Amino acid sequence: MKNFWNKIYDWFNSRLDLQDVVGFIGKKYVPVHRHSVWYYFGGVSLFLFIIQVITGILLLFYYKGSSDLAFESIQFIMSKVEFGWLIRSIHSWAANLFILAAFIHMFSVYFSRAYRKPREITWLTGMLMFFLALAFGFSGYLLPWNELAFFATKVGTDIMTAIPFIGTPIMEFMRGGEDVTGATLSRLFGFHVALFPGIFTVLLAVHLILVQRQGMSVPIDMENIPADEKKTMPFFPNFLLRDLLLWLLVLNVLAILAVFFPAHLGEKADMFAPSPEGIKPEWYFLFMFQTLKYIPAQVLFIDGEILGILLFGAAGLLWTLVPFWDRRSAKGQSSRFVTYLGLFAVIFIIVFTIVGWLA
Amino acid sequence: MNDKGHLPEERRTFLKYLIGGGLIGFAGSVLYPLFAFLKPPKQADVEVTSASAGKLSEFEKGTGKIVRFGNKPLLVIRMPNGEVKAFSATCTHFDCTVQYKKDLEIIWCACHNGKYDLNGKNIAGPPPRPLDEYRVVMKGDEILISKKA
């Protein structure tokens, strides 16, 4: 048997020079220290993305992307298709856990300054994937074409019009017209199942190849330990097996959530019905949405909503560009300011998410 | 060709501009259709001048209903005193659809708790502007709604 596999390997190896690839993948070590637990969250995000791709493709086999058929096709998936309820519920739950895992991954990278030279590009691709994850969430939310989704999409796209000059064209581009209609559904469906996955896959490939080439980052305060005291663990197989165990646990959590809290469908969207109460964006947009409510209508001649949107845009840009303005991390020092800024962001997001939930 | 195998300078410059300009033109002719495609075509809006809101005799006092006006929703209210009023049902805050609240005698938007009085004026919550009012005309027992001139 061993011989058989060896033959197969040899057949490919003689054509592709596999030993280079095996060497590239095989030589990676994971630093072992008291913050090692954070190294797992990138892998968890990756696993949840894979789950999304698989369940998403399965849903595509039955979903019909048009305003006349979308709601009914999901009803069909939930009630007639064998395990349709399970696949849709897993897709819905994994979406939320994916964004949660990405949040944790992003903040752990931020606080350990893992974005510092030479890993700026890894951070940038990661941030782009994070914004794409939010876009995935926004575009996927409308696809069931139910009341909540319809009005949430109306509100979410209407907020765009507050942006000066380009706001209204952006809204019309997102809506595929002036109003949220079947054209909006077609458009967001195209984004959700073709454009975003395509871009995401390319970014993910770059992200992973860079991690593989540059190895794992060590927190700044651990860098100066003498080499003989540095503990590491081989990625293959030691760390990978731990990763896989965690993946298995996450899969179990997903199954439990999907079985006990299956995804709702609610009422079909009706353009000529009053909006229902309790229109809320998904939890990962809540903190921004809630903040907009607290900004007064007028702040020194500027419309409050415009100010809020521009502030969030600026904050997102500042956050994305942190490897380029946090000069001290490149020299191997951690600046207090960066830490406090990160803590402020974490606390701000948690507080306003909770306030938004209770509102 | 001169003796070094180079083209004369002016001819070289001319060719550079020709090729460069050609490339820019080519890029433009590729990109323009792409962006034009992404812009949704203006749907021929069915120019509605008036819409029917049903019969007055079947319209209970102190209720409101949503009526289609082309592809826009209107809120038609029959006041407790019997008078009929019509407003745009699109909340001026974030585009949600408003409703009549009988108990408070106001127009209410459930999305973010915006409130308007029965003249369409924004009185509480986030709406920045009043609701557009429409004209109500009776034709026998039928209620006809039309745009205010």
Side-chain angles (χ1 to χ4, degrees), chain B residues 10-73:
Chain B
E10 58 273 25
R11 191 187 293 185
R12 202 190 165 89
T13 315
F14 171 73
L15 284 176
K16 213 156 65 178
Y17 279 109
L18 192 69
I19 292 171
L23 277 177
I24 290 168
F26 179 75
S29 67
V30 169
L31 291 176
Y32 179 76
L34 279 181
F35 282 98
F37 181 91
L38 289 174
K39 198 174 166 349
K42 277 271 174 278
Q43 295 287 12
D45 235 355
V46 191
E47 248 330 303
V48 202
T49 47
S50 75
S52 165
K55 290 187 166 54
L56 186 68
S57 50
E58 293 164 8
F59 198 177
E60 251 180 81
K61 288 179 183 175
T63 60
K65 60 181 175 187
I66 305 273
V67 171
R68 287 185 79 128
F69 193 84
N71 53 9
K72 299 240 180 295

Side-chain angles (χ1 to χ4, degrees), chain A residues 228-240:
Chain A
D228 53 344
E229 282 176 39
K230 275 188 186 163
K231 287 211 208 87
T232 59
M233 172 197 297
F235 185 85
F236 290 96
N238 308 40
F239 195 80
L240 182 70

Side-chain angles (χ1 to χ4, degrees), chain B residues 27-137:
Chain B
S29 67
V30 169
L31 291 176
Y32 179 76
L34 279 181
F35 282 98
F37 181 91
L38 289 174
K39 198 174 166 349
K42 277 271 174 278
Q43 295 287 12
D45 235 355
V46 191
E47 248 330 303
V48 202
T49 47
S50 75
S52 165
K55 290 187 166 54
L56 186 68
S57 50
E58 293 164 8
F59 198 177
E60 251 180 81
K61 288 179 183 175
T63 60
K65 60 181 175 187
I66 305 273
V67 171
R68 287 185 79 128
F69 193 84
N71 53 9
K72 299 240 180 295
L74 297 188
L75 176 65
V76 183
I77 303 168
R78 180 138 196 222
M79 315 278 229
N81 66 7
E83 192 193 352
V84 178
K85 282 194 160 190
F87 299 97
S88 154
T90 305
C91 182
T92 53
H93 173 227
F94 277 154
D95 256 17
C96 283
T97 308
V98 298
Q99 55 190 289
Y100 172 65
K101 274 208 85 74
K102 189 184 174 178
D103 49 348
L104 300 173
E105 294 223 359
I106 54 157
I107 297 168
W108 179 61
C109 181
C111 281
H112 309 105
N113 204 17
K115 291 172 183 161
Y116 305 85
D117 66 13
L118 294 183
N119 296 314
K121 196 177 165 321
N122 43 320
I123 49 172
R129 287 183 309 281
L131 296 169
D132 287 336
E133 191 165 358
Y134 283 67
R135 199 160 41 149
V136 178
V137 187

Side-chain angles (χ1 to χ4, degrees), chain A residues 169-232:
Chain A
I170 288 177
M171 180 200 81
E172 289 195 2
F173 172 71
M174 287 167 89
R175 287 185 177 182
E178 285 173 13
D179 298 307
V180 175
T181 58
T184 317
L185 181 68
S186 300
R187 199 158 274 223
L188 293 187
F189 182 45
F191 287 155
H192 190 80
V193 304
L195 182 68
F196 295 161
I199 301 173
F200 196 96
T201 307
V202 172
L203 291 170
L204 182 61
V206 174
H207 197 75
L208 294 178
I209 288 169
L210 284 173
V211 171
Q212 192 65 37
R213 271 189 71 113
Q214 302 178 324
M216 300 278 204
S217 162
V218 182
I220 287 181
D221 51 335
M222 309 257 166
E223 249 183 343
N224 305 323
I225 301 172
D228 53 344
E229 282 176 39
K230 275 188 186 163
K231 287 211 208 87
T232 59

